[in-house]
Amino acid sequence: HTVPSGGAGSAVAAFPNARYPVRQLEWDYWMADAQRGEPTVDACVVPLAASGHLEMAGEGFAASPSVRYLDTPGHTPGHVCIVVESGDEGAIITGDITHSPAQVQHLDWADAIDTDLEAGERSRREVFDRIHDDGLAMCSGHYPFNEGLGRLVLVEGRRVWQGISLRG
């Protein structure tokens, strides 16, 4: 995450002591000629690499025993979700594998820019199964109405999204 430095066209790391791990496969995808020029990547990610804050993370990357990447290709080749666990509690941060609660029931509904539809559907199925079966919380920044935190529950035999409102 970068912020403008005040200088023309430059940016600095918002958290200068942080390291930003990125899957090599994901980096290679976004740096390919066909993807270059994507405004968010150029404004936020490329400056982190230039400043030395970005680190390449391989398969099975774990930031700590409680925080690790889960490979979930489909949206992009190196897409990951983030698994957070502590004791008997846990959550999965879904990233871009899901953009709508409707995808919980319609696994084949893809985002317009998903790069591999079959892999995306498979990733959604595996992650949603794990969230439901293990009783994990689900964090989805793309879900509407400030309810990106919730659980997957059964209603009349169908798995559905149940958001937890964070509004006071």
Side-chain angles (χ1 to χ4, degrees):
H1 178 218
T2 58
V3 295
S5 68
S10 62
V12 296
F15 303 99
N17 294 326
R19 308 304 296 166
Y20 296 82
V22 174
R23 286 286 315 279
Q24 183 71 53
L25 186 60
E26 190 73 355
W27 177 257
D28 292 345
Y29 170 77
W30 286 109
M31 294 301 106
D33 288 342
Q35 307 315 323
R36 290 293 295 144
E38 203 292 319
T40 303
V41 173
D42 287 345
C44 298
V45 181
V46 171
L48 289 173
S51 69
H53 287 84
L54 202 75
E55 294 179 349
M56 293 303 128
E59 286 188 43
F61 172 79
S64 74
S66 298
V67 180
R68 66 183 178 284
Y69 283 173
L70 175 64
D71 294 332
T72 51
H75 183 67
T76 55
H79 184 274
V80 295
C81 290
I82 299 173
V83 178
V84 181
E85 295 176 310
S86 179
D88 293 339
E89 298 292 323
I92 293 183
I93 302 169
T94 60
D96 286 322
I97 67 163
T98 180
H99 288 79
S100 166
Q103 289 176 296
V104 171
Q105 293 180 22
H106 302 280
L107 299 170
D108 59 326
W109 289 8
D111 186 74
I113 60 171
D114 284 356
T115 61
D116 183 332
L117 301 181
E118 289 180 20
E121 181 178 346
R122 188 170 43 255
S123 289
R124 276 187 291 284
R125 180 179 321 284
E126 291 171 2
V127 168
F128 292 161
D129 283 351
R130 181 170 177 185
I131 288 168
H132 178 261
D133 295 348
D134 293 351
L136 301 174
M138 182 170 135
C139 306
S140 180
H142 292 294
Y143 285 14
F145 312 118
N146 194 29
E147 293 183 350
L149 176 62
R151 299 208 179 264
L152 299 179
V153 298
L154 288 179
V155 175
E156 296 180 4
R158 295 174 54 141
R159 188 166 52 198
V160 298
W161 166 254
Q162 183 180 55
I164 301 169
S165 180
L166 300 177
R167 292 181 229 152

